[in-house]
């Protein structure tokens, strides 16, 4: 199987975030890491390759720093990588929207035939959850989301397990090529070994700019006008009366003010 | 972990442990010497326990350019590094409510010609050059053990990955590598865990024991034009008790940011001393309060620094090993500077490795400006052992006598030996309750250090006997671990019988090594947790 894994570099989970001056995005002065569900997508791809043979190609779209997620993917066992270089203007700017990313990816891989394209379920920064789905649409391929398991099911077919709400699952058989968006926590991530890190240096890492592939990126259809930090407020209200009155007042409060029931 | 684990092996020419200025300078210079001969640097290996190069790098920092200039003559004009020339410096003497600007800045604190830098950024900047030079850099990888063949050091074992809290391998277990090399370079910074193993095994040490200070630091963002880039202020006095060595700093970083912090010597008598709390008090000084008004905390970190000076240096080289930078103890405690010395020690070490003659390294250190700088201040720190005023008097005397003072070598004792039991002391020093705006508790600060560890792993704080903590220490010293740890790793909680019991939060650890140093019973051993864990000192 020839598998493409799309990885995004996002601000590290525990990074103390601050808004930029115009409050359109966060400041660059944090460390970055591979988007969590994408790491599980890579792990799923590597396991499929180990079990059934084939090739794993890692792809990212982002500024120069984003190439780090590719080096890590290569160190863990991806065969080669593609860096869609969004230029340094992309660093610190609000992220491209899901359509712009999907369009750029579809152009970058035009002419290559992948059996499977895996993305994470959503990104930890923008959280659109749409990139993989739009990419499938642009490629004219079927897709399935929130995937927990993938296995081959005969010639050009796979069987996947989707997570539904309240602990239910759906099993779907579908044709390939297909795009799957992968859920976090579905497998145990491997560590890059020292040998893997050393060998990664000699694996091919292709770089292409958005202009080179003719992507219209930058033309975000969805614009971030302003971000707000949720303001935390704490207040204590003492409810008096009989137990019955107190209970009724509490329920009314939870329903009408806190909107939790 | 079972002994039956097979460790993959790798042969190397040199293994460098630690990606601080010392280790990176050594790697870079050696790779360049190799390149001049057309040799590949691939078998120079550099291990760094931080997630990425620079992640564990925290400093003040005002850098003397000598060390970096020898490696990168044009560093000052590179915007990627962003070094800011010092424009203005001053020393302030603080009493609880006054700040007296010293009419003259004492010569050691003259910073004209120096640069304000972020050590985190410097490490990333040098690291990119090291990688480009072809060195095999392994981030998120800790040197866990030294490998010996009888009494010959033959390499380093790296950390096992994927071991559960119960000590058992998880499904993604990866055993550590055995890296074999004729030369092992220890550049682990202060109180290195492999350095400690080496010195203990070979029974090595300096003429004086090493002593340390803990620096607690925050980066703040201030209203525009409050504190210019390149301004360098130092403070002496309050809130450091007069009998203790220490002082504060405020450096203008540009972009409306300042670095501020307080150094406290880990040589105090009162076990209730809490360097993190002292730093919070420092910010409440009226002069500091005015400076920080309207500002905002951006980052936090804490790290120790060796202060013993020349007489505390252990032997710098053996047949198969070298000690660099803070791991050896190259810090000028009078100027609170070590970056330039770490860089130069790395460069000189690379020369010796390249020549195939490790013994040349200590010789070249002795013949270099490192010795010229450190020798006259060899007694500076010890002169402060009776506090600020005795220290200042001694410093003046030493300056007049070329560093000698009253006797050639002022002795010193390990800091933890100065700690006194609570019954011999009066009331504990005052503590401040943080307000969450100007002053912060340890947990809030740790959040601003970007610290993260794999939760399911064995504790990396090895406590030889917790009975000592729960029974003896509670009564003798009142569990000073709760006070000296700046990251709330150590906590005394009540068990079901109402007795105090030690509880550890290893995931909070910012890798400062204070516990290993300051524990009065010396029963805490800090070992590296799974590689990649620890702080993320962006911009520190
Ligand atoms: C608060 C503070 C303020 C300071 N201010 C200044 C200043 O203004 N100017 C100045 O010149 N100096 C200053 N110093 C001193 C200066 O920062 C140090 O001298 C310098 O960083 C030493 O460099 P190093 O490479 O020897 O060690 P470090 O910078 O400590 O680097 C050691 C590296 O090794 C890694 N490591 C350790 N053990 C292992 C292991 N077993 N396996 C893998 N990796 C490991 C660590 O994670 C770390 O990244 C300050 C120090 C402190 C603490």
């Amino acid at each position: 199987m020839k598998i493409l894994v799309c990885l995004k570099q996002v601000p590290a989970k525990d990074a103390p975030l601050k808004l930029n001056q115009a409050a359109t995005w966060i400041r660059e002065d944090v460390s970055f890491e591979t988007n969590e569900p994408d790491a599980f997508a890579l792990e799923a791809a590597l396991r499929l390759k180990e079990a059934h043979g084939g090739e794993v190609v890692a792809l990212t779209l982002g500024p120069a720093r984003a190439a780090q997620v590719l080096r890590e993917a290569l160190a863990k066992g991806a065969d080669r990588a593609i860096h869609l270089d969004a230029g340094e203007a992309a660093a610190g700017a609000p992220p491209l929207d899901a359509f712009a990313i999907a369009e750029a990816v579809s152009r970058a891989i035009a002419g290559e035939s992948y059996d499977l394209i895996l993305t994470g379920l959503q990104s930890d920064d923008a959280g659109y959850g749409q990139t993989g789905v739009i990419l499938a649409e642009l490629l004219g391929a079927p897709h399935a989301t929130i995937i927990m398991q993938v296995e081959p099911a005969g010639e050009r077919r796979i069987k996947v397990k989707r997570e539904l709400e309240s602990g239910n699952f759906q099993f779907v058989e579908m044709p390939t090529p297909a795009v799957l968006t992968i859920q976090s926590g579905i497998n145990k991530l491997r560590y890059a070994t020292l040998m893997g890190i050393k060998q990664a240096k000699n694996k091919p890492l292709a770089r292409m700019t958005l202009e080179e592939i003719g992507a219209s990126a930058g033309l975000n259809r969805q614009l971030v006008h302003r971000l707000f930090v949720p303001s935390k407020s704490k207040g204590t209200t003492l409810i008096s009366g009989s137990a019955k009155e107190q209970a009724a007042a509490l329920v009314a409060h939870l329903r009408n003010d806190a909107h939790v029931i | 972990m079972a002994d039956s684990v097979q460790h993959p092996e790798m042969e190397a020419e040199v293994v460098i442990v630690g990606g601080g200025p010392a280790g990176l300078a050594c790697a870079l210079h050696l790779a360049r010497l190799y390149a001049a001969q057309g040799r590949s640097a691939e078998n120079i290996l550099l291990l760094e326990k931080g997630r990425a190069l620079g992640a564990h790098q925290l400093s003040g920092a005002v850098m003397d350019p000598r060390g970096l200039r020898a490696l990168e003559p044009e560093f000052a004009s590179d915007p990627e590094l962003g070094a800011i020339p010092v424009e203005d410096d001053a020393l302030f003497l603080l009493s609880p409510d006054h700040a007296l600007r010293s009419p003259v800045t004492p010569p050691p604190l003259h910073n004209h010609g120096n640069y304000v830098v972020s050590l985190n950024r410097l490490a990333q900047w040098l690291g990119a050059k090291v990688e480009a030079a072809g060195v095999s850099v392994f981030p998120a990888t800790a040197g866990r053990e030294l490998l010996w063949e009888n009494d010959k050091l033959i390499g380093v074992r790296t950390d096992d990955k994927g071991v559960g809290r119960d000590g058992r391998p998880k499904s993604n277990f990866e055993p550590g590598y055995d890296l074999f090399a004729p030369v092992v370079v220890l550049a682990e910074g202060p109180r290195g865990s492999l350095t400690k193993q080496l010195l203990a095994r070979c029974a090595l040490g300096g003429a004086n024991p090493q002593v340390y200070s803990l620096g607690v630091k925050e980066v703040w963002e201030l209203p525009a034009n409050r504190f210019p880039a390149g301004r360098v202020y130092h403070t002496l006095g309050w809130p450091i008790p007069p009998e203790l060595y220490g002082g504060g700093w405020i450096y203008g970083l540009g972009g409306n940011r300042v670095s501020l912090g307080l150094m406290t010597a880990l040589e105090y008598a009162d076990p209730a001393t809490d360097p993190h709390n002292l730093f919070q008090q420092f910010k409440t000084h009226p002069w500091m309060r005015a400076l920080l008004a309207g500002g905002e905390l951006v980052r936090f970190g804490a790290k120790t620094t060796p202060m013993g000076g020349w007489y505390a240096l252990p032997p710098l080289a053996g047949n198969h090993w070298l000690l660099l930078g803070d791991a050896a103890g190259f810090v000028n405690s009078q100027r609170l500077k070590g970056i330039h010395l770490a860089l130069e020690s790395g460069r000189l070490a690379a020369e010796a490795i390249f020549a195939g003659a490790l013994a040349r390294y200590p010789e070249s250190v002795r013949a270099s400006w490192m010795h010229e700088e450190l020798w006259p201040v060899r007694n500076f720190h010890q002169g402060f052992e009776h506090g600020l005023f005795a220290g200042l008097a001694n410093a003046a005397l030493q300056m007049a006598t070329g560093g000698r003072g009253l006797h050639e070598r002022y002795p010193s004792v390990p800091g933890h030996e100065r700690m006194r039991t609570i019954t011999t002391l009066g009331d504990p020093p005052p503590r401040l309750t943080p307000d969450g705006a100007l002053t912060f508790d340890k947990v809030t600060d740790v959040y601003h250090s970007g610290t993260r560890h794999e939760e399911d792993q064995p504790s990396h704080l090895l406590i030889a006997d917790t009975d000592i903590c729960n029974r003896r220490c509670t009564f003798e010293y009142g569990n000073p671990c709760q006070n000296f740890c700046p990251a709330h790793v150590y906590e005394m909680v009540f068990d079901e019988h109402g007795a105090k019991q030690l509880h550890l939060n290893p995931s909070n650890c910012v890798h400062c090594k204070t516990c290993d140093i300051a524990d009065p019973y010396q029963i805490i051993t800090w070992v590296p947790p799974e590689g990649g864990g620890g702080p993320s000192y962006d911009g520190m």
Side-chain angles (χ1 to χ4, degrees):
Chain A
M1 253 195 274
K2 185 171 168 184
I3 309 172
L4 179 76
V5 185
C6 300
L7 303 149
K8 187 181 196 184
Q9 195 191 40
V10 295
K13 267 226 162 72
D14 299 275
L17 304 179
K18 298 263 184 257
L19 296 185
N20 65 17
Q21 202 103 52
T24 53
W25 196 240
I26 56 154
R27 296 186 197 160
E28 264 296 278
D29 64 348
V30 290
S31 35
F32 292 85
E33 63 188 10
T34 304
N35 182 43
E36 190 181 73
D38 305 359
F40 288 96
L42 174 68
E43 182 65 36
L46 294 172
R47 289 182 184 200
L48 282 170
K49 178 186 122 170
E50 280 156 5
H52 309 288
E55 186 188 19
V56 172
V57 181
L59 177 147
T60 196
L61 169 71
R65 60 167 160 72
Q68 181 58 27
V69 307
L70 298 180
R71 284 191 284 272
E72 282 171 26
L74 293 172
K76 286 184 173 186
D79 299 285
R80 61 188 173 90
I82 303 170
H83 179 200
L84 279 180
D85 194 338
E88 284 323 284
L96 293 179
D97 67 25
F99 183 88
I101 299 171
E103 197 233 14
V105 174
S106 71
R107 283 175 184 267
I109 60 169
E112 291 207 59
S113 49
Y114 289 98
D115 300 301
L116 271 184
I117 297 180
L118 306 187
T119 70
L121 166 75
Q122 60 183 28
S123 58
D124 289 341
D125 55 356
Y128 294 129
Q130 290 297 309
T131 308
V133 178
I134 299 174
L135 178 62
E137 191 60 27
L138 292 172
L139 295 172
H143 75 264
T145 55
I146 329 180
I147 298 303
M148 306 193 63
Q149 234 169 38
V150 191
E151 51 193 67
E155 192 59 18
R156 302 189 81 73
R157 286 190 80 74
I158 50 170
K159 188 175 165 196
V160 300
K161 176 181 174 187
R162 296 188 65 215
E163 187 179 283
L164 303 180
E165 308 225 325
S166 23
N168 292 316
F169 304 107
Q170 180 185 25
F171 292 86
V172 185
E173 253 195 53
M174 60 196 291
T176 62
V179 180
L180 306 175
T181 75
I182 303 290
Q183 171 67 303
S184 272
I186 63 164
N187 45 39
K188 195 131 185 91
L189 300 180
R190 71 190 59 199
Y191 294 91
T193 64
L194 300 197
M195 196 46 96
I197 295 173
K198 226 176 156 191
Q199 285 166 349
K201 285 193 172 179
N202 300 320
K203 292 182 178 175
L205 197 168
R207 177 181 162 274
M208 40 186 113
T209 65
L210 296 181
E211 295 78 57
E212 277 163 14
I213 56 169
S216 60
L219 299 175
N220 265 353
R221 283 159 179 77
Q222 183 173 328
L223 296 179
V224 178
H225 285 287
R226 208 186 145 153
L227 298 181
F228 297 88
V229 179
S231 57
K232 276 182 231 149
S233 57
K234 235 184 348 194
T236 309
T237 316
L238 288 176
I239 302 172
S240 51
S242 70
K244 213 166 177 174
E245 288 161 356
Q246 285 184 31
L250 179 62
V251 167
H253 180 74
L254 291 176
R255 183 168 293 146
N256 305 330
D257 306 328
H259 303 292
V260 292
I261 54 172
Chain B
M1 178 83 357
D3 284 339
S4 58
V5 172
Q6 278 288 317
H7 292 272
E9 299 180 357
M10 201 186 272
E11 298 284 339
E13 290 170 48
V14 183
V15 177
I16 300 170
V17 184
L24 291 170
C26 179
L28 183 60
H29 192 58
L30 188 58
R32 287 176 176 169
L33 292 170
Y34 273 25
Q37 282 195 340
R39 256 165 94 185
S40 152
E42 182 190 10
N43 292 322
I44 304 171
L45 315 184
L46 185 141
L47 315 181
E48 168 54 51
K49 64 182 163 58
R51 255 168 261 176
L53 288 179
H56 291 181
Q57 292 294 309
L58 171 153
S59 194
V62 175
M63 182 184 71
D64 178 331
R66 275 193 285 186
L68 191 51
R69 207 165 265 152
L71 286 170
E72 288 290 328
E74 304 301 329
F75 80 88
S77 58
D78 190 337
E80 287 287 306
L81 178 62
I84 302 168
V86 173
E87 295 291 344
D88 162 21
D89 58 301
L91 174 68
F92 290 81
L93 301 173
L94 303 192
S95 68
D97 34 39
H98 286 96
L100 179 69
R101 186 180 178 125
S102 165
V104 290
T105 305
L109 292 176
H110 271 184
N111 279 298
H112 195 74
N114 294 333
Y115 292 82
V116 177
V117 295
S118 149
L119 191 61
N120 161 266
R121 204 157 155 194
L122 176 63
Q124 292 179 40
W125 182 81
L126 273 180
K129 296 181 193 297
V130 168
E131 298 215 47
V135 173
S136 295
V137 176
F138 300 122
T141 305
R144 188 57 204 260
E145 251 174 79
L146 294 173
L147 300 171
W148 300 87
E149 192 179 85
N150 303 320
D151 283 332
K152 180 178 163 200
L153 180 62
I154 55 168
V156 173
R157 176 170 293 170
T158 66
D159 61 311
D160 290 332
K161 297 205 157 57
V163 179
R165 188 166 306 171
D166 55 5
R168 274 198 267 237
K170 296 183 274 188
S171 66
N172 59 350
F173 174 70
E174 284 292 343
Y177 272 64
D178 284 350
L179 308 174
F180 296 108
V183 182
V184 173
V185 178
L186 297 178
E188 297 178 284
R191 198 71 159 198
S193 35
L194 297 184
T195 309
K196 196 176 165 186
Q197 286 175 28
L198 177 91
L199 297 181
R201 177 171 171 131
C202 303
L204 297 172
N208 280 340
Q210 188 56 277
V211 290
Y212 300 86
S213 287
L214 173 62
V216 179
K217 168 175 172 176
E218 287 174 357
V219 169
W220 276 60
E221 187 157 306
L222 302 182
N225 306 322
R226 176 79 57 84
F227 200 91
R231 173 173 285 173
V232 169
Y233 283 174
H234 289 103
T235 73
L236 284 176
W238 192 86
I240 301 284
E243 68 283 0
L244 198 62
Y245 182 69
W249 79 83
I250 312 155
Y251 302 153
L253 303 175
N256 300 326
R257 289 193 174 189
V258 290
S259 155
L260 53 135
L262 189 75
M263 290 293 241
T264 303
L266 298 174
E267 299 176 87
Y268 47 80
D270 193 331
T273 307
D274 182 330
H276 177 272
N277 201 266
L278 284 172
F279 169 65
Q280 301 306 322
Q281 294 179 38
F282 174 58
K283 289 186 291 177
T284 65
H285 190 280
W287 176 70
M288 288 291 286
R289 200 182 271 277
L291 178 81
L292 297 175
E296 195 188 2
L297 167 68
V298 181
R299 290 281 183 284
F300 164 83
K303 190 164 181 275
T304 49
T305 181
M307 285 292 192
W310 190 267
Y311 281 126
L313 291 176
L316 301 175
N319 285 335
H320 299 278
W321 52 266
L322 299 172
L323 295 180
L324 272 54
D326 278 13
F330 289 124
V331 169
N332 181 340
S333 57
Q334 190 187 37
R335 300 171 73 206
L336 183 60
K337 285 190 179 57
I339 299 172
H340 62 308
L341 297 161
L343 290 166
E344 183 68 0
S345 75
R347 200 182 67 84
L348 295 177
E351 297 274 347
I353 297 166
F354 187 66
L358 300 190
R360 271 196 209 163
Y361 166 60
E363 288 165 20
S364 60
V365 168
R366 233 165 275 129
S368 72
W369 55 257
M370 294 176 67
H371 179 263
E372 220 168 88
E373 175 177 338
L374 291 175
W375 183 248
V377 296
R378 61 194 178 280
N379 283 317
F380 176 77
H381 177 81
Q382 298 91 292
F384 274 81
E385 74 168 324
H386 299 295
L388 180 61
F389 297 105
L392 290 175
N394 259 316
L397 183 64
Q398 288 168 19
M399 236 186 268
T401 56
R404 189 176 176 280
L406 289 176
H407 23 258
E408 180 40 45
R409 177 169 68 84
Y410 284 47
S412 108
V413 300
H416 68 87
E417 288 181 9
R418 295 189 192 272
M419 202 181 281
R420 286 172 40 193
T421 51
I422 29 186
T423 49
T424 66
L425 292 159
D427 288 342
R431 280 188 77 85
L432 171 137
T433 307
D435 64 13
L438 175 66
T439 53
F440 302 97
D441 60 22
K442 292 178 179 178
V443 173
T444 306
D445 260 342
V446 169
Y447 167 73
H448 286 88
S449 68
T451 297
R452 180 169 75 194
H453 289 87
E454 163 65 51
E455 294 282 338
D456 185 13
Q457 66 169 308
S459 169
H460 68 281
L461 304 152
L462 311 181
I463 298 179
D465 182 358
T466 47
D467 263 0
I468 293 187
C469 312
N470 300 338
R471 294 177 209 280
R472 267 182 74 188
C473 189
T474 305
F475 301 106
E476 291 180 348
Y477 296 101
N479 304 106
C481 53
Q482 308 169 92
N483 304 320
F484 58 60
C485 172
H488 199 60
V489 170
Y490 296 85
E491 203 178 353
M492 296 305 291
V493 297
F494 289 100
D495 67 10
E496 62 269 31
H497 311 295
K500 272 193 180 174
Q501 191 124 38
L502 178 66
H503 173 78
L504 294 176
N505 307 304
S507 298
N508 277 2
C509 178
V510 295
H511 296 206
C512 71
K513 317 273 178 89
T514 300
C515 52
D516 194 298
I517 295 164
D519 155 35
Y521 303 96
Q522 293 290 292
I523 53 168
I524 303 178
T525 305
W526 190 101
V527 298
E530 184 176 296
S536 185
Y537 284 147
D538 307 313
M540 297 286 268

